[in-house]
Amino acid sequence: STGINAEYGEKMRYLLEGDPDFEVPRVFRELSSRHVLTQEFVEGDPIDEFDDAPIELRNAIGLKMLKLCLRELFEFQYMQTDPNWSNFFYDTKTKKIKLLDFGATLDLTEEFSNNYLQVIRSCATADRQAIIDASINMGFLSGYESDIMLDAHCEAIKVVGEPFAFDEPYDFVEKAAYKRVAKLLEVFAKHRITAPPEESYALNRKLSGAFLLCNKLNAVIPCKPLFDRVYQHKMNIVNM
């Protein structure tokens, strides 16, 4: 409904306040109804229309979208899960991404967020057992899987964490991570013995959407510093 969309949008506007890379248009509740949501007009174009832009601009847009994913997942624990690129406009004047639609927004538990943080961190350190342990904690695995399933699961997780594991800029076209995950789906279909947590479907949509956007933009960007900042921020809060 428009009421829920307005509520979620206002929350995201509050969470992103002060971030120079993003803007959420203000909602005019007095001009809205059950069927009509009235927001302030925003300048810009859908982010996927910049695939012919100069490489610096394409990289900047891809980096901002990955930053948004990480902040939503690990900092806000509140995620807009619809990867439809027309929900995100880029304004070349302000250099901001405008977020437009919050109908598919998900609250994540702190436990889910923290465990997934450790999963991605384990990819960066190539710690296979840590990936398995955190995946069991999250409900991705039961602990009774075959070696074939464990190998496929760890490989899939490593593909997701790969952009955040290396210091050098990550080439989303050359690596084409999504193609490697597709090859593992047959193993999952045959050998999975427990359904993954419900939140993981929305999370996978979001992350795969961001990766596919970077692929479409032909982006080559250093992703690890983004993750390291988010990880350090989270650790500082945990240790307070």
Side-chain angles (χ1 to χ4, degrees):
S1 75
T2 57
I4 291 175
N5 207 323
E7 181 183 328
Y8 289 166
E10 286 171 341
K11 180 174 180 178
M12 189 63 80
R13 180 179 166 88
Y14 168 75
L15 291 170
L16 285 169
E17 191 174 3
D19 191 314
D21 292 326
F22 305 101
E23 183 179 313
V24 179
R26 192 156 57 97
V27 172
F28 297 98
R29 284 185 175 265
E30 66 278 12
L31 300 176
S32 301
S33 67
R34 283 184 62 192
H35 303 292
V36 177
L37 179 66
T38 306
Q39 295 175 284
E40 64 182 320
F41 180 78
V42 298
E43 300 278 355
D45 297 288
I47 52 177
D48 63 314
E49 293 185 5
F50 289 87
D51 54 344
D52 289 326
I55 182 63
E56 293 80 11
L57 178 53
R58 287 184 276 123
N59 285 347
I61 292 172
L63 198 62
K64 290 176 200 291
M65 288 302 294
L66 289 173
K67 172 187 174 183
L68 179 63
C69 271
L70 293 177
R71 290 201 73 191
E72 287 179 326
L73 178 54
F74 300 124
E75 192 177 331
F76 306 154
Q77 292 158 29
Y78 186 75
M79 180 174 272
Q80 196 276 58
T81 61
D82 184 355
N84 184 346
W85 295 322
S86 62
N87 290 335
F88 304 92
F89 274 41
Y90 183 74
D91 185 343
T92 54
K93 295 175 186 172
T94 63
K95 297 182 170 57
K96 288 186 177 185
I97 289 177
K98 317 288 182 70
L99 286 65
L100 301 180
D101 188 343
F102 298 92
T105 307
L106 179 69
D107 274 304
L108 300 169
T109 66
E110 187 161 358
E111 181 182 20
F112 182 91
S113 173
N114 289 346
N115 279 323
Y116 200 75
L117 183 72
Q118 294 307 326
V119 166
I120 301 298
R121 174 70 173 173
S122 300
C123 296
T125 56
D127 190 334
R128 184 178 187 274
Q129 191 57 48
I131 292 174
I132 293 171
D133 292 343
S135 297
I136 290 172
N137 289 339
M138 291 181 73
F140 276 117
L141 300 173
S142 68
Y144 298 100
E145 281 75 13
S146 65
D147 287 341
I148 292 174
M149 177 61 197
L150 290 177
D151 288 344
H153 175 78
C154 288
E155 181 59 30
I157 293 292
K158 285 176 184 176
V159 169
V160 173
E162 188 178 78
F164 308 110
F166 301 104
D167 289 314
E168 61 268 17
Y170 187 83
D171 187 327
F172 281 88
V173 172
E174 182 185 310
K175 303 290 186 183
Y178 64 94
K179 292 182 180 177
R180 281 179 282 153
V181 172
K183 292 178 181 177
L184 299 170
L185 295 180
E186 188 177 338
V187 178
F188 294 152
K190 285 184 179 178
H191 297 277
R192 183 179 291 285
I193 59 176
T194 184
E198 193 174 332
E199 303 101 316
S200 68
Y201 295 107
L203 173 62
N204 289 339
R205 263 203 323 274
K206 178 77 172 188
L207 284 174
S208 62
F211 286 3
L212 286 170
L213 173 69
C214 289
N215 182 281
K216 180 175 174 59
L217 293 174
N218 212 339
V220 183
I221 45 184
C223 307
K224 188 172 185 290
L226 272 182
F227 178 78
D228 287 347
R229 279 197 296 273
V230 171
Y231 184 81
Q232 196 54 54
H233 176 77
K234 190 85 165 182
M235 291 302 99
N236 289 342
I237 292 174
V238 170
N239 295 325
M240 281 178 66

